[in-house]
PDB file of all heavy atoms in Angstrom:
ATOM      1  N   TYR A   1     -51.580 103.273 125.192  1.00 76.00           N
ATOM      2  CA  TYR A   1     -50.258 103.796 124.876  1.00 76.00           C
ATOM      3  C   TYR A   1     -49.966 103.604 123.388  1.00 76.00           C
ATOM      4  O   TYR A   1     -49.264 102.668 122.976  1.00 76.00           O
ATOM      5  CB  TYR A   1     -49.193 103.096 125.719  1.00 76.00           C
ATOM      6  CG  TYR A   1     -49.365 103.307 127.205  1.00 76.00           C
ATOM      7  CD1 TYR A   1     -49.431 102.225 128.082  1.00 76.00           C
ATOM      8  CD2 TYR A   1     -49.461 104.589 127.738  1.00 76.00           C
ATOM      9  CE1 TYR A   1     -49.580 102.417 129.451  1.00 76.00           C
ATOM     10  CE2 TYR A   1     -49.611 104.796 129.100  1.00 76.00           C
ATOM     11  CZ  TYR A   1     -49.669 103.709 129.950  1.00 76.00           C
ATOM     12  OH  TYR A   1     -49.817 103.901 131.300  1.00 76.00           O
ATOM     13  N   THR A   2     -50.501 104.523 122.583  1.00 76.00           N
ATOM     14  CA  THR A   2     -50.348 104.393 121.138  1.00 76.00           C
ATOM     15  C   THR A   2     -48.886 104.470 120.712  1.00 76.00           C
ATOM     16  O   THR A   2     -48.446 103.737 119.815  1.00 76.00           O
ATOM     17  CB  THR A   2     -51.175 105.469 120.415  1.00 76.00           C
ATOM     18  OG1 THR A   2     -52.558 105.261 120.720  1.00 76.00           O
ATOM     19  CG2 THR A   2     -50.986 105.387 118.911  1.00 76.00           C
ATOM     20  N   ILE A   3     -48.123 105.341 121.353  1.00 72.00           N
ATOM     21  CA  ILE A   3     -46.709 105.465 120.974  1.00 72.00           C
ATOM     22  C   ILE A   3     -45.969 104.152 121.212  1.00 72.00           C
ATOM     23  O   ILE A   3     -45.140 103.727 120.402  1.00 72.00           O
ATOM     24  CB  ILE A   3     -46.038 106.631 121.743  1.00 72.00           C
ATOM     25  CG1 ILE A   3     -44.610 106.835 121.230  1.00 72.00           C
ATOM     26  CG2 ILE A   3     -46.048 106.413 123.244  1.00 72.00           C
ATOM     27  CD1 ILE A   3     -43.945 108.082 121.778  1.00 72.00           C
ATOM     28  N   GLU A   4     -46.294 103.469 122.315  1.00 77.00           N
ATOM     29  CA  GLU A   4     -45.653 102.174 122.584  1.00 77.00           C
ATOM     30  C   GLU A   4     -46.134 101.111 121.601  1.00 77.00           C
ATOM     31  O   GLU A   4     -45.365 100.232 121.196  1.00 77.00           O
ATOM     32  CB  GLU A   4     -45.943 101.722 124.019  1.00 77.00           C
ATOM     33  CG  GLU A   4     -45.731 102.782 125.092  1.00 77.00           C
ATOM     34  CD  GLU A   4     -44.278 103.184 125.255  1.00 77.00           C
ATOM     35  OE1 GLU A   4     -43.424 102.679 124.519  1.00 77.00           O
ATOM     36  OE2 GLU A   4     -44.002 104.033 126.122  1.00 77.00           O
ATOM     37  N   ARG A   5     -47.395 101.187 121.214  1.00 75.00           N
ATOM     38  CA  ARG A   5     -47.930 100.215 120.245  1.00 75.00           C
ATOM     39  C   ARG A   5     -47.124 100.260 118.951  1.00 75.00           C
ATOM     40  O   ARG A   5     -46.865  99.223 118.327  1.00 75.00           O
ATOM     41  CB  ARG A   5     -49.407 100.514 119.944  1.00 75.00           C
ATOM     42  CG  ARG A   5     -50.362 100.355 121.118  1.00 75.00           C
ATOM     43  CD  ARG A   5     -51.802 100.505 120.638  1.00 75.00           C
ATOM     44  NE  ARG A   5     -52.743 100.766 121.714  1.00 75.00           N
ATOM     45  CZ  ARG A   5     -53.243  99.846 122.547  1.00 75.00           C
ATOM     46  NH1 ARG A   5     -52.858  98.586 122.408  1.00 75.00           N
ATOM     47  NH2 ARG A   5     -54.099 100.169 123.494  1.00 75.00           N
ATOM     48  N   TYR A   6     -46.739 101.483 118.539  1.00 67.00           N
ATOM     49  CA  TYR A   6     -46.010 101.603 117.271  1.00 67.00           C
ATOM     50  C   TYR A   6     -44.546 101.201 117.403  1.00 67.00           C
ATOM     51  O   TYR A   6     -43.889 100.920 116.407  1.00 67.00           O
ATOM     52  CB  TYR A   6     -46.154 103.024 116.714  1.00 67.00           C
ATOM     53  CG  TYR A   6     -47.378 103.155 115.847  1.00 67.00           C
ATOM     54  CD1 TYR A   6     -48.583 103.600 116.379  1.00 67.00           C
ATOM     55  CD2 TYR A   6     -47.358 102.781 114.511  1.00 67.00           C
ATOM     56  CE1 TYR A   6     -49.724 103.691 115.605  1.00 67.00           C
ATOM     57  CE2 TYR A   6     -48.487 102.866 113.723  1.00 67.00           C
ATOM     58  CZ  TYR A   6     -49.672 103.321 114.272  1.00 67.00           C
ATOM     59  OH  TYR A   6     -50.796 103.398 113.490  1.00 67.00           O
ATOM     60  N   ILE A   7     -44.027 101.188 118.633  1.00 72.00           N
ATOM     61  CA  ILE A   7     -42.669 100.681 118.825  1.00 72.00           C
ATOM     62  C   ILE A   7     -42.684  99.159 118.856  1.00 72.00           C
ATOM     63  O   ILE A   7     -41.905  98.490 118.178  1.00 72.00           O
ATOM     64  CB  ILE A   7     -42.052 101.233 120.129  1.00 72.00           C
ATOM     65  CG1 ILE A   7     -41.889 102.744 120.035  1.00 72.00           C
ATOM     66  CG2 ILE A   7     -40.697 100.571 120.415  1.00 72.00           C
ATOM     67  CD1 ILE A   7     -41.389 103.389 121.314  1.00 72.00           C
ATOM     68  N   HIS A   8     -43.628  98.615 119.655  1.00 77.00           N
ATOM     69  CA  HIS A   8     -43.685  97.159 119.781  1.00 77.00           C
ATOM     70  C   HIS A   8     -44.992  96.770 120.480  1.00 77.00           C
ATOM     71  O   HIS A   8     -45.277  97.218 121.571  1.00 77.00           O
ATOM     72  CB  HIS A   8     -42.497  96.653 120.614  1.00 77.00           C
ATOM     73  CG  HIS A   8     -42.451  95.151 120.744  1.00 77.00           C
ATOM     74  ND1 HIS A   8     -42.045  94.326 119.718  1.00 77.00           N
ATOM     75  CD2 HIS A   8     -42.795  94.340 121.777  1.00 77.00           C
ATOM     76  CE1 HIS A   8     -42.110  93.062 120.122  1.00 77.00           C
ATOM     77  NE2 HIS A   8     -42.561  93.046 121.363  1.00 77.00           N
ATOM     78  N   GLY A   9     -45.783  95.943 119.821  1.00 73.00           N
ATOM     79  CA  GLY A   9     -46.976  95.386 120.450  1.00 73.00           C
ATOM     80  C   GLY A   9     -48.245  96.150 120.158  1.00 73.00           C
ATOM     81  O   GLY A   9     -48.886  96.654 121.081  1.00 73.00           O
ATOM     82  N   MET A  10     -48.636  96.224 118.877  1.00 77.00           N
ATOM     83  CA  MET A  10     -49.838  96.978 118.510  1.00 77.00           C
ATOM     84  C   MET A  10     -51.065  96.473 119.260  1.00 77.00           C
ATOM     85  O   MET A  10     -51.920  97.256 119.678  1.00 77.00           O
ATOM     86  CB  MET A  10     -50.062  96.911 116.996  1.00 77.00           C
ATOM     87  CG  MET A  10     -51.266  97.716 116.514  1.00 77.00           C
ATOM     88  SD  MET A  10     -51.202  99.488 116.911  1.00 77.00           S
ATOM     89  CE  MET A  10     -49.928 100.032 115.772  1.00 77.00           C
ATOM     90  N   GLU A  11     -51.164  95.166 119.453  1.00 78.00           N
ATOM     91  CA  GLU A  11     -52.306  94.603 120.163  1.00 78.00           C
ATOM     92  C   GLU A  11     -51.903  94.010 121.517  1.00 78.00           C
ATOM     93  O   GLU A  11     -52.680  93.291 122.137  1.00 78.00           O
ATOM     94  CB  GLU A  11     -52.969  93.511 119.313  1.00 78.00           C
ATOM     95  CG  GLU A  11     -53.479  93.986 117.958  1.00 78.00           C
ATOM     96  CD  GLU A  11     -54.569  95.044 118.093  1.00 78.00           C
ATOM     97  OE1 GLU A  11     -55.284  95.039 119.111  1.00 78.00           O
ATOM     98  OE2 GLU A  11     -54.705  95.882 117.168  1.00 78.00           O
ATOM     99  N   ALA A  12     -50.705  94.321 121.982  1.00 78.00           N
ATOM    100  CA  ALA A  12     -50.206  93.722 123.222  1.00 78.00           C
ATOM    101  C   ALA A  12     -51.005  94.220 124.427  1.00 78.00           C
ATOM    102  O   ALA A  12     -51.322  95.407 124.528  1.00 78.00           O
ATOM    103  CB  ALA A  12     -48.733  94.047 123.405  1.00 78.00           C
ATOM    104  N   TYR A  13     -51.285  93.312 125.344  1.00 79.00           N
ATOM    105  CA  TYR A  13     -52.078  93.632 126.528  1.00 79.00           C
ATOM    106  C   TYR A  13     -51.415  94.715 127.389  1.00 79.00           C
ATOM    107  O   TYR A  13     -52.092  95.516 128.036  1.00 79.00           O
ATOM    108  CB  TYR A  13     -52.296  92.367 127.376  1.00 79.00           C
ATOM    109  CG  TYR A  13     -51.013  91.761 127.904  1.00 79.00           C
ATOM    110  CD1 TYR A  13     -50.472  92.150 129.123  1.00 79.00           C
ATOM    111  CD2 TYR A  13     -50.316  90.807 127.155  1.00 79.00           C
ATOM    112  CE1 TYR A  13     -49.284  91.617 129.591  1.00 79.00           C
ATOM    113  CE2 TYR A  13     -49.122  90.265 127.608  1.00 79.00           C
ATOM    114  CZ  TYR A  13     -48.608  90.671 128.829  1.00 79.00           C
ATOM    115  OH  TYR A  13     -47.432  90.153 129.284  1.00 79.00           O
ATOM    116  N   TYR A  14     -50.095  94.757 127.385  1.00 81.00           N
ATOM    117  CA  TYR A  14     -49.404  95.704 128.269  1.00 81.00           C
ATOM    118  C   TYR A  14     -49.465  97.138 127.766  1.00 81.00           C
ATOM    119  O   TYR A  14     -49.071  98.066 128.478  1.00 81.00           O
ATOM    120  CB  TYR A  14     -47.939  95.293 128.502  1.00 81.00           C
ATOM    121  CG  TYR A  14     -47.176  94.866 127.270  1.00 81.00           C
ATOM    122  CD1 TYR A  14     -46.732  95.792 126.346  1.00 81.00           C
ATOM    123  CD2 TYR A  14     -46.914  93.514 127.045  1.00 81.00           C
ATOM    124  CE1 TYR A  14     -46.040  95.388 125.215  1.00 81.00           C
ATOM    125  CE2 TYR A  14     -46.210  93.100 125.917  1.00 81.00           C
ATOM    126  CZ  TYR A  14     -45.775  94.043 125.006  1.00 81.00           C
ATOM    127  OH  TYR A  14     -45.082  93.651 123.889  1.00 81.00           O
ATOM    128  N   ASN A  15     -49.955  97.354 126.570  1.00 81.00           N
ATOM    129  CA  ASN A  15     -50.146  98.707 126.063  1.00 81.00           C
ATOM    130  C   ASN A  15     -51.587  99.190 126.228  1.00 81.00           C
ATOM    131  O   ASN A  15     -51.933 100.272 125.741  1.00 81.00           O
ATOM    132  CB  ASN A  15     -49.734  98.786 124.587  1.00 81.00           C
ATOM    133  CG  ASN A  15     -48.230  98.696 124.412  1.00 81.00           C
ATOM    134  OD1 ASN A  15     -47.480  99.151 125.272  1.00 81.00           O
ATOM    135  ND2 ASN A  15     -47.783  98.091 123.320  1.00 81.00           N
ATOM    136  N   ASP A  16     -52.403  98.383 126.882  1.00 82.00           N
ATOM    137  CA  ASP A  16     -53.789  98.769 127.161  1.00 82.00           C
ATOM    138  C   ASP A  16     -53.862  99.481 128.507  1.00 82.00           C
ATOM    139  O   ASP A  16     -53.023  99.264 129.393  1.00 82.00           O
ATOM    140  CB  ASP A  16     -54.703  97.542 127.206  1.00 82.00           C
ATOM    141  CG  ASP A  16     -54.812  96.829 125.864  1.00 82.00           C
ATOM    142  OD1 ASP A  16     -54.600  97.502 124.831  1.00 82.00           O
ATOM    143  OD2 ASP A  16     -55.097  95.613 125.860  1.00 82.00           O
ATOM    144  N   ILE A  17     -54.871 100.325 128.677  1.00 79.00           N
ATOM    145  CA  ILE A  17     -55.122 100.970 129.957  1.00 79.00           C
ATOM    146  C   ILE A  17     -56.606 100.853 130.292  1.00 79.00           C
ATOM    147  O   ILE A  17     -57.437 100.578 129.419  1.00 79.00           O
ATOM    148  CB  ILE A  17     -54.713 102.459 129.965  1.00 79.00           C
ATOM    149  CG1 ILE A  17     -55.519 103.251 128.929  1.00 79.00           C
ATOM    150  CG2 ILE A  17     -53.228 102.624 129.714  1.00 79.00           C
ATOM    151  CD1 ILE A  17     -55.278 104.751 128.974  1.00 79.00           C
ATOM    152  N   GLN A  18     -56.931 101.054 131.561  1.00 89.00           N
ATOM    153  CA  GLN A  18     -58.321 101.032 131.994  1.00 89.00           C
ATOM    154  C   GLN A  18     -59.053 102.251 131.443  1.00 89.00           C
ATOM    155  O   GLN A  18     -58.591 103.387 131.624  1.00 89.00           O
ATOM    156  CB  GLN A  18     -58.392 101.035 133.528  1.00 89.00           C
ATOM    157  CG  GLN A  18     -59.787 101.199 134.106  1.00 89.00           C
ATOM    158  CD  GLN A  18     -60.687 100.004 133.844  1.00 89.00           C
ATOM    159  OE1 GLN A  18     -60.233  98.948 133.421  1.00 89.00           O
ATOM    160  NE2 GLN A  18     -61.967 100.169 134.082  1.00 89.00           N
ATOM    161  N   PRO A  19     -60.173 102.078 130.763  1.00 92.00           N
ATOM    162  CA  PRO A  19     -60.917 103.257 130.290  1.00 92.00           C
ATOM    163  C   PRO A  19     -61.545 104.004 131.466  1.00 92.00           C
ATOM    164  O   PRO A  19     -62.218 103.405 132.303  1.00 92.00           O
ATOM    165  CB  PRO A  19     -61.983 102.654 129.359  1.00 92.00           C
ATOM    166  CG  PRO A  19     -62.134 101.232 129.809  1.00 92.00           C
ATOM    167  CD  PRO A  19     -60.802 100.802 130.331  1.00 92.00           C
ATOM    168  N   TRP A  20     -61.307 105.288 131.536  1.00 95.00           N
ATOM    169  CA  TRP A  20     -61.873 106.140 132.594  1.00 95.00           C
ATOM    170  C   TRP A  20     -62.989 107.010 132.040  1.00 95.00           C
ATOM    171  O   TRP A  20     -63.036 107.291 130.837  1.00 95.00           O
ATOM    172  CB  TRP A  20     -60.796 107.069 133.163  1.00 95.00           C
ATOM    173  CG  TRP A  20     -59.787 106.428 134.053  1.00 95.00           C
ATOM    174  CD1 TRP A  20     -59.603 105.097 134.301  1.00 95.00           C
ATOM    175  CD2 TRP A  20     -58.782 107.114 134.808  1.00 95.00           C
ATOM    176  NE1 TRP A  20     -58.555 104.913 135.171  1.00 95.00           N
ATOM    177  CE2 TRP A  20     -58.036 106.120 135.506  1.00 95.00           C
ATOM    178  CE3 TRP A  20     -58.440 108.452 134.985  1.00 95.00           C
ATOM    179  CZ2 TRP A  20     -56.965 106.461 136.352  1.00 95.00           C
ATOM    180  CZ3 TRP A  20     -57.377 108.772 135.820  1.00 95.00           C
ATOM    181  CH2 TRP A  20     -56.655 107.784 136.497  1.00 95.00           C
ATOM    182  N   ARG A  21     -63.839 107.481 132.938  1.00 96.00           N
ATOM    183  CA  ARG A  21     -64.818 108.512 132.593  1.00 96.00           C
ATOM    184  C   ARG A  21     -64.142 109.860 132.886  1.00 96.00           C
ATOM    185  O   ARG A  21     -64.385 110.514 133.909  1.00 96.00           O
ATOM    186  CB  ARG A  21     -66.099 108.316 133.391  1.00 96.00           C
ATOM    187  CG  ARG A  21     -66.823 107.008 133.069  1.00 96.00           C
ATOM    188  CD  ARG A  21     -68.225 106.971 133.653  1.00 96.00           C
ATOM    189  NE  ARG A  21     -68.219 106.957 135.111  1.00 96.00           N
ATOM    190  CZ  ARG A  21     -68.125 105.856 135.867  1.00 96.00           C
ATOM    191  NH1 ARG A  21     -68.038 104.654 135.276  1.00 96.00           N
ATOM    192  NH2 ARG A  21     -68.132 105.926 137.179  1.00 96.00           N
ATOM    193  N   TYR A  22     -63.280 110.258 131.967  1.00 96.00           N
ATOM    194  CA  TYR A  22     -62.384 111.390 132.192  1.00 96.00           C
ATOM    195  C   TYR A  22     -63.128 112.679 132.513  1.00 96.00           C
ATOM    196  O   TYR A  22     -62.694 113.467 133.365  1.00 96.00           O
ATOM    197  CB  TYR A  22     -61.489 111.601 130.973  1.00 96.00           C
ATOM    198  CG  TYR A  22     -60.549 110.444 130.719  1.00 96.00           C
ATOM    199  CD1 TYR A  22     -60.833 109.485 129.739  1.00 96.00           C
ATOM    200  CD2 TYR A  22     -59.381 110.289 131.457  1.00 96.00           C
ATOM    201  CE1 TYR A  22     -59.984 108.423 129.509  1.00 96.00           C
ATOM    202  CE2 TYR A  22     -58.519 109.222 131.239  1.00 96.00           C
ATOM    203  CZ  TYR A  22     -58.832 108.287 130.266  1.00 96.00           C
ATOM    204  OH  TYR A  22     -57.983 107.219 130.060  1.00 96.00           O
ATOM    205  N   LEU A  23     -64.222 112.913 131.825  1.00 97.00           N
ATOM    206  CA  LEU A  23     -64.915 114.194 131.979  1.00 97.00           C
ATOM    207  C   LEU A  23     -65.670 114.317 133.297  1.00 97.00           C
ATOM    208  O   LEU A  23     -66.169 115.390 133.631  1.00 97.00           O
ATOM    209  CB  LEU A  23     -65.863 114.430 130.799  1.00 97.00           C
ATOM    210  CG  LEU A  23     -65.180 114.513 129.423  1.00 97.00           C
ATOM    211  CD1 LEU A  23     -66.187 114.893 128.347  1.00 97.00           C
ATOM    212  CD2 LEU A  23     -64.020 115.511 129.442  1.00 97.00           C
ATOM    213  N   GLU A  24     -65.734 113.235 134.060  1.00 97.00           N
ATOM    214  CA  GLU A  24     -66.331 113.319 135.394  1.00 97.00           C
ATOM    215  C   GLU A  24     -65.297 113.697 136.453  1.00 97.00           C
ATOM    216  O   GLU A  24     -65.653 114.008 137.598  1.00 97.00           O
ATOM    217  CB  GLU A  24     -66.981 111.980 135.765  1.00 97.00           C
ATOM    218  CG  GLU A  24     -68.168 111.621 134.879  1.00 97.00           C
ATOM    219  CD  GLU A  24     -68.791 110.286 135.269  1.00 97.00           C
ATOM    220  OE1 GLU A  24     -68.619 109.872 136.439  1.00 97.00           O
ATOM    221  OE2 GLU A  24     -69.428 109.656 134.404  1.00 97.00           O
ATOM    222  N   SER A  25     -64.020 113.682 136.083  1.00 97.00           N
ATOM    223  CA  SER A  25     -62.964 113.893 137.075  1.00 97.00           C
ATOM    224  C   SER A  25     -62.974 115.273 137.738  1.00 97.00           C
ATOM    225  O   SER A  25     -62.667 115.372 138.931  1.00 97.00           O
ATOM    226  CB  SER A  25     -61.590 113.606 136.462  1.00 97.00           C
ATOM    227  OG  SER A  25     -61.342 114.400 135.329  1.00 97.00           O
ATOM    228  N   PRO A  26     -63.322 116.368 137.048  1.00 97.00           N
ATOM    229  CA  PRO A  26     -63.340 117.655 137.767  1.00 97.00           C
ATOM    230  C   PRO A  26     -64.278 117.648 138.974  1.00 97.00           C
ATOM    231  O   PRO A  26     -63.962 118.223 140.018  1.00 97.00           O
ATOM    232  CB  PRO A  26     -63.806 118.646 136.702  1.00 97.00           C
ATOM    233  CG  PRO A  26     -63.397 118.033 135.410  1.00 97.00           C
ATOM    234  CD  PRO A  26     -63.581 116.566 135.606  1.00 97.00           C
ATOM    235  N   TRP A  27     -65.397 116.966 138.840  1.00 96.00           N
ATOM    236  CA  TRP A  27     -66.371 116.969 139.941  1.00 96.00           C
ATOM    237  C   TRP A  27     -65.866 116.081 141.080  1.00 96.00           C
ATOM    238  O   TRP A  27     -66.040 116.410 142.260  1.00 96.00           O
ATOM    239  CB  TRP A  27     -67.734 116.497 139.437  1.00 96.00           C
ATOM    240  CG  TRP A  27     -68.041 117.017 138.062  1.00 96.00           C
ATOM    241  CD1 TRP A  27     -68.301 116.297 136.943  1.00 96.00           C
ATOM    242  CD2 TRP A  27     -68.076 118.388 137.657  1.00 96.00           C
ATOM    243  NE1 TRP A  27     -68.492 117.122 135.863  1.00 96.00           N
ATOM    244  CE2 TRP A  27     -68.365 118.405 136.267  1.00 96.00           C
ATOM    245  CE3 TRP A  27     -67.880 119.600 138.311  1.00 96.00           C
ATOM    246  CZ2 TRP A  27     -68.474 119.592 135.545  1.00 96.00           C
ATOM    247  CZ3 TRP A  27     -67.987 120.785 137.590  1.00 96.00           C
ATOM    248  CH2 TRP A  27     -68.278 120.771 136.220  1.00 96.00           C
ATOM    249  N   TYR A  28     -65.214 114.998 140.737  1.00 95.00           N
ATOM    250  CA  TYR A  28     -64.660 114.143 141.784  1.00 95.00           C
ATOM    251  C   TYR A  28     -63.593 114.901 142.581  1.00 95.00           C
ATOM    252  O   TYR A  28     -63.480 114.748 143.796  1.00 95.00           O
ATOM    253  CB  TYR A  28     -64.042 112.881 141.170  1.00 95.00           C
ATOM    254  CG  TYR A  28     -63.299 112.033 142.170  1.00 95.00           C
ATOM    255  CD1 TYR A  28     -63.985 111.162 143.009  1.00 95.00           C
ATOM    256  CD2 TYR A  28     -61.916 112.121 142.318  1.00 95.00           C
ATOM    257  CE1 TYR A  28     -63.322 110.391 143.948  1.00 95.00           C
ATOM    258  CE2 TYR A  28     -61.237 111.368 143.251  1.00 95.00           C
ATOM    259  CZ  TYR A  28     -61.947 110.499 144.068  1.00 95.00           C
ATOM    260  OH  TYR A  28     -61.287 109.756 145.012  1.00 95.00           O
ATOM    261  N   PHE A  29     -62.827 115.735 141.869  1.00 97.00           N
ATOM    262  CA  PHE A  29     -61.758 116.468 142.531  1.00 97.00           C
ATOM    263  C   PHE A  29     -62.227 117.788 143.140  1.00 97.00           C
ATOM    264  O   PHE A  29     -61.403 118.629 143.500  1.00 97.00           O
ATOM    265  CB  PHE A  29     -60.607 116.711 141.560  1.00 97.00           C
ATOM    266  CG  PHE A  29     -59.771 115.485 141.297  1.00 97.00           C
ATOM    267  CD1 PHE A  29     -59.664 114.957 140.016  1.00 97.00           C
ATOM    268  CD2 PHE A  29     -59.098 114.855 142.326  1.00 97.00           C
ATOM    269  CE1 PHE A  29     -58.893 113.835 139.772  1.00 97.00           C
ATOM    270  CE2 PHE A  29     -58.328 113.725 142.095  1.00 97.00           C
ATOM    271  CZ  PHE A  29     -58.228 113.205 140.820  1.00 97.00           C
ATOM    272  N   GLY A  30     -63.516 117.966 143.255  1.00 95.00           N
ATOM    273  CA  GLY A  30     -64.030 119.060 144.072  1.00 95.00           C
ATOM    274  C   GLY A  30     -64.494 120.301 143.350  1.00 95.00           C
ATOM    275  O   GLY A  30     -64.821 121.298 143.997  1.00 95.00           O
ATOM    276  N   ALA A  31     -64.537 120.304 142.006  1.00 96.00           N
ATOM    277  CA  ALA A  31     -65.063 121.470 141.298  1.00 96.00           C
ATOM    278  C   ALA A  31     -66.554 121.621 141.577  1.00 96.00           C
ATOM    279  O   ALA A  31     -67.273 120.633 141.783  1.00 96.00           O
ATOM    280  CB  ALA A  31     -64.815 121.324 139.799  1.00 96.00           C
ATOM    281  N   ARG A  32     -67.018 122.848 141.588  1.00 94.00           N
ATOM    282  CA  ARG A  32     -68.442 123.135 141.833  1.00 94.00           C
ATOM    283  C   ARG A  32     -69.138 123.481 140.523  1.00 94.00           C
ATOM    284  O   ARG A  32     -68.644 124.300 139.749  1.00 94.00           O
ATOM    285  CB  ARG A  32     -68.587 124.285 142.815  1.00 94.00           C
ATOM    286  CG  ARG A  32     -68.222 123.931 144.245  1.00 94.00           C
ATOM    287  CD  ARG A  32     -68.141 125.167 145.123  1.00 94.00           C
ATOM    288  NE  ARG A  32     -69.226 126.116 144.822  1.00 94.00           N
ATOM    289  CZ  ARG A  32     -69.222 127.394 145.211  1.00 94.00           C
ATOM    290  NH1 ARG A  32     -68.172 127.868 145.873  1.00 94.00           N
ATOM    291  NH2 ARG A  32     -70.228 128.190 144.932  1.00 94.00           N
ATOM    292  N   LYS A  33     -70.277 122.862 140.305  1.00 90.00           N
ATOM    293  CA  LYS A  33     -70.995 123.100 139.051  1.00 90.00           C
ATOM    294  C   LYS A  33     -71.681 124.456 139.015  1.00 90.00           C
ATOM    295  O   LYS A  33     -72.055 124.941 137.954  1.00 90.00           O
ATOM    296  CB  LYS A  33     -72.018 121.983 138.828  1.00 90.00           C
ATOM    297  CG  LYS A  33     -71.375 120.627 138.600  1.00 90.00           C
ATOM    298  CD  LYS A  33     -72.392 119.573 138.198  1.00 90.00           C
ATOM    299  CE  LYS A  33     -71.704 118.230 137.905  1.00 90.00           C
ATOM    300  NZ  LYS A  33     -72.636 117.189 137.462  1.00 90.00           N
ATOM    301  N   ASP A  34     -71.843 125.095 140.158  1.00 88.00           N
ATOM    302  CA  ASP A  34     -72.544 126.379 140.212  1.00 88.00           C
ATOM    303  C   ASP A  34     -71.601 127.542 140.484  1.00 88.00           C
ATOM    304  O   ASP A  34     -72.031 128.615 140.904  1.00 88.00           O
ATOM    305  CB  ASP A  34     -73.625 126.334 141.290  1.00 88.00           C
ATOM    306  CG  ASP A  34     -73.047 126.024 142.677  1.00 88.00           C
ATOM    307  OD1 ASP A  34     -71.873 125.634 142.747  1.00 88.00           O
ATOM    308  OD2 ASP A  34     -73.783 126.172 143.675  1.00 88.00           O
ATOM    309  N   ASP A  35     -70.315 127.345 140.261  1.00 92.00           N
ATOM    310  CA  ASP A  35     -69.323 128.378 140.561  1.00 92.00           C
ATOM    311  C   ASP A  35     -69.159 129.294 139.355  1.00 92.00           C
ATOM    312  O   ASP A  35     -68.468 128.950 138.397  1.00 92.00           O
ATOM    313  CB  ASP A  35     -67.994 127.720 140.935  1.00 92.00           C
ATOM    314  CG  ASP A  35     -66.994 128.709 141.526  1.00 92.00           C
ATOM    315  OD1 ASP A  35     -67.163 129.924 141.298  1.00 92.00           O
ATOM    316  OD2 ASP A  35     -66.039 128.263 142.197  1.00 92.00           O
TER     317      ASP A  35
END
């Protein structure tokens, strides 16, 4: 949460999020690679 970091807590733990493998999400949600 970069916007929150600039308001308060640049290194605060509560502005961190779990890193995801975002580009794998279409396949998890049912997209077909051969469509």
Side-chain angles (χ1 to χ4, degrees):
Y1 298 126
T2 297
I3 186 172
E4 313 293 2
R5 295 187 197 281
Y6 272 94
I7 295 175
H8 182 75
M10 182 59 72
E11 301 298 332
Y13 62 89
Y14 45 75
N15 288 328
D16 295 335
I17 61 174
Q18 172 68 12
W20 286 8
R21 296 192 294 273
Y22 296 100
L23 298 186
E24 295 180 23
S25 57
W27 321 121
Y28 173 81
F29 285 119
R32 288 170 41 196
K33 294 188 177 182
D34 59 348
D35 191 340

